[in-house]
Amino acid sequence: MQVDLGKNYFELFGLPVSFELDTSSLTERYRDLQRSVHPDRFANASDRERRLSMQQASLVNEAHRALKDPLQRARYMLSLQGIDIHDESNTVMDGMFLMEQMELREELDAITGKDDPLAALAEFIAGIESRIAERVQKLTGLFANVNDENLQQAHGLSLQLQFLYRLREEAESREESLL
């Protein structure tokens, strides 16, 4: 089986372009594609075939990573619509979310001074997970009905998710340092 390097990630996996994904279908299709293009299968092939196999396996891995993660999937779907989430010129951020960011940062910084910082960190991380799940749910609704307004809201929510992912990583790192 050959992988068409020009297809978008959804086409590559034979899935509809949708934020809401059947993760078991994604995983099953990923395994099928990897079995067919894995470089080990081409160990005795020509240089050209081995190189093509590596490119295809790399694309399949990249596409799988992007589609299985809600933040990366949202970014990818926005890019399919011509919206660059990495656009540094777009610094417009929801004022309410900016306040939420400051409060969350202050809350995380105050945890180390608590009597049981591990319990406080676990509770903090659970709260971040809840906020992430809430935004993923909203993104599902926005991408279900694509229009300019919904895409702009999805862009804003993606930036919020990006912040929450980083904050979760920071909290998990602090948790590990306390163990």
Side-chain angles (χ1 to χ4, degrees), residues 116-128:
D116 187 356
L118 278 175
L121 273 171
E123 186 177 322
F124 181 81
I125 291 169
I128 296 298

Side-chain angles (χ1 to χ4, degrees), residues 33-88:
L33 287 169
Q34 275 299 340
R35 266 192 294 273
S36 68
V37 299
H38 197 279
D40 288 350
R41 290 194 63 220
F42 297 88
N44 297 321
S46 69
D47 286 346
R48 183 186 177 282
E49 289 171 321
R50 284 197 309 264
R51 193 173 41 252
L52 182 60
S53 162
M54 298 238 331
Q55 286 176 328
Q56 292 173 338
S58 178
L59 177 66
V60 168
N61 286 333
E62 180 183 311
H64 183 251
R65 271 193 305 273
L67 294 182
K68 77 176 184 181
D69 178 72
L71 174 57
Q72 290 188 43
R73 188 168 57 246
R75 286 177 172 169
Y76 184 69
M77 290 185 69
L78 288 168
S79 76
L80 290 176
Q81 297 293 325
I83 298 172
D84 181 9
I85 192 167
H86 302 292
D87 183 3
E88 298 293 328

